[in-house]
Amino acid sequence: MGCWTAFLVRLEDGSSWELDEKYGRWHLTGADDRAGLVERVLTDGRPVDGAPKTARSCQGLAVDLATRRYRFYSCALNVPRAGVSHRESMALHLAAEPGWEDWDVAYAWGGDEELCRLIVPGLPPRPAEAGEGAEAEAAAQVPAVEVNLASREYWFVDWTPDDRRITVRHDELIADLFAHATCLISVVAADATLTHWQLVNSVVPLLAHQGEALPRTLAASAPFPLAAEDAVTDGAVIDLRERRLRYWTTDPVPPGLVARVGAVWPGWQVERLAWGHLGHLAAIGEHQDRQQHQDQHQDSDGLSMTDAELREACWDEELIALRNRARDTLPTEPRRLLPPRVRVIDRH
């Protein structure tokens, strides 16, 4: 079918316009680019009557001239490895371009629904966000999503709970090659022990369906080693003592789905984890210990992508510099957590 791009514009007088285009660009650069888009939407597009009706199957952008806000998002085909940190870097890069100095520029992690709400602020919330009865309604609206553990074939040998040791074959990061995981979930227990699971799931629908039962479901199976940055696209850090749930994903997530996560995790602090895998490492206390290995003059420890790997994934130098600056300044978990040990046998 190919990608369709939605262009949404809100004028200073509060009126809104829309245009959809197949294979269109999904981000702007400077002021001239913005002015050209606005002119094209007003010439070739149509006024928004109620909710936008644009064909928004893949990606889009919204320019709000009334409040000077700009949001954009892209389909999965345009997300390179280390996709979350790439999008965070790109938003900072675009915000620094001439013509955006006094604008609020950010990636639209809420996808199409976030763009629509930006352009039409009065859109009614979805029923699950209405408050009363939201938890029961959320559970009813989310399709069943079961925990789908990644493969243990070839690489996994044993898990010894008493000394918290995972035994693998050949290499500490071998699961990244053979598990074929998409999602990394780290659980911090009340006694500060840290355990990881690698899944073949999209994390937000999983969180929305499983709710608070998810850590117990995961604990019924052996854990996994910590996944590397280029091995997974989704993740979550579940802190049982703090009742804090932080997630990240390369996929756009409708605000209504995030609201349903909050409804089925009552009493929990639910947040999107900035900078994806980099933020995940910082949130579990792995960030500072590994940071010294990650600059362009040293070898990587394998968990985070090196500058050379980012170049191979088509990052430009400015985006790499922005990502590395964020990595070096992310706030780190202050407690000393106790991760599982990984023992390697049959090492090549």
Side-chain angles (χ1 to χ4, degrees):
M1 293 178 61
C3 290
W4 284 82
T5 304
F7 301 114
L8 303 176
V9 173
R10 185 177 182 228
L11 303 178
E12 288 92 339
D13 63 6
S15 63
S16 299
W17 291 72
E18 62 183 341
L19 172 70
D20 55 87
E21 178 179 283
K22 197 164 188 178
Y23 304 121
R25 288 190 305 124
W26 49 269
H27 65 85
L28 302 172
T29 52
D32 291 343
D33 204 9
R34 179 177 69 240
L37 174 76
V38 171
E39 181 179 359
R40 187 153 62 90
V41 171
L42 294 179
T43 301
D44 300 331
R46 55 191 179 272
V48 173
D49 181 14
K53 301 178 179 64
T54 314
R56 298 172 297 272
S57 58
C58 295
Q59 54 192 20
L61 62 88
V63 175
D64 186 348
L65 298 173
T67 61
R68 304 181 80 81
R69 288 180 292 172
Y70 165 44
R71 296 291 185 271
F72 63 95
Y73 79 101
S74 70
C75 70
L77 294 177
N78 290 313
V79 178
R81 289 185 298 166
V84 176
S85 56
H86 181 272
R87 291 303 185 248
E88 302 277 8
S89 299
M90 194 164 187
L92 290 177
H93 168 68
L94 293 176
E97 289 289 300
W100 297 108
E101 293 89 352
D102 57 347
W103 281 68
D104 176 4
V105 178
Y107 190 75
W109 292 108
D112 173 63
E113 188 177 344
E114 181 176 341
L115 298 190
C116 290
R117 291 185 181 194
L118 182 73
I119 297 303
V120 186
L123 282 181
R126 292 187 177 181
E129 296 177 78
E132 185 175 353
E135 182 177 350
E137 188 168 353
Q141 290 187 13
V142 179
V145 179
E146 303 304 323
V147 173
N148 188 3
L149 292 173
S151 173
R152 297 187 192 273
E153 292 184 9
Y154 180 74
W155 64 271
F156 180 78
V157 178
D158 189 29
W159 159 244
T160 311
D162 290 343
D163 57 3
R164 296 185 49 75
R165 186 180 67 188
I166 304 170
T167 302
V168 303
R169 290 187 174 90
H170 307 309
D171 184 87
E172 287 189 5
L173 297 178
I174 193 169
D176 294 340
L177 297 176
F178 294 98
H180 305 298
T182 57
C183 176
L184 169 69
I185 295 186
S186 300
V187 177
V188 181
D191 61 359
T193 55
L194 174 66
T195 317
H196 316 289
W197 284 270
Q198 296 188 33
L199 312 176
V200 185
N201 283 99
S202 295
V203 70
V204 181
L206 179 72
L207 296 171
H209 176 73
Q210 293 285 330
E212 291 180 287
L214 179 58
R216 295 191 298 275
T217 302
L218 293 173
S221 61
F224 287 68
L226 185 58
E229 183 174 17
D230 58 350
V232 289
T233 61
D234 294 51
V237 178
I238 303 173
D239 191 326
L240 300 179
R241 189 184 75 174
E242 302 291 334
R243 294 181 66 81
R244 187 180 187 189
L245 168 61
R246 287 169 284 180
Y247 71 91
W248 59 277
T249 175
T250 55
D251 293 328
V253 181
L257 184 58
V258 175
R260 290 197 284 272
V261 174
V264 298
W265 293 75
W268 285 67
Q269 181 180 354
V270 178
E271 311 162 70
R272 189 183 70 81
L273 195 59
W275 295 94
H277 189 274
L278 299 181
H280 192 130
L281 291 182
I284 60 176
E286 293 279 350
H287 178 55
Q288 294 293 344
D289 291 341
R290 300 177 186 275
Q291 178 177 316
Q292 59 182 328
H293 300 291
Q294 300 304 310
D295 66 54
Q296 59 185 352
H297 304 296
Q298 295 177 311
D299 293 332
S300 170
D301 62 1
L303 284 178
S304 296
M305 293 176 69
T306 64
D307 289 0
E309 289 171 328
L310 296 174
R311 293 186 190 100
E312 290 177 3
C314 300
W315 287 49
D316 66 32
E317 294 300 322
E318 184 166 1
L319 294 187
I320 293 173
L322 285 168
R323 163 217 149 95
N324 289 344
R325 223 167 16 246
R327 176 203 63 202
D328 296 343
T329 57
L330 278 168
T332 302
E333 163 61 49
R335 293 168 292 173
R336 180 64 178 174
L337 303 181
L338 305 173
R341 295 184 298 147
V342 178
R343 173 177 173 247
V344 180
I345 63 171
D346 301 333
R347 190 184 293 272
H348 287 318

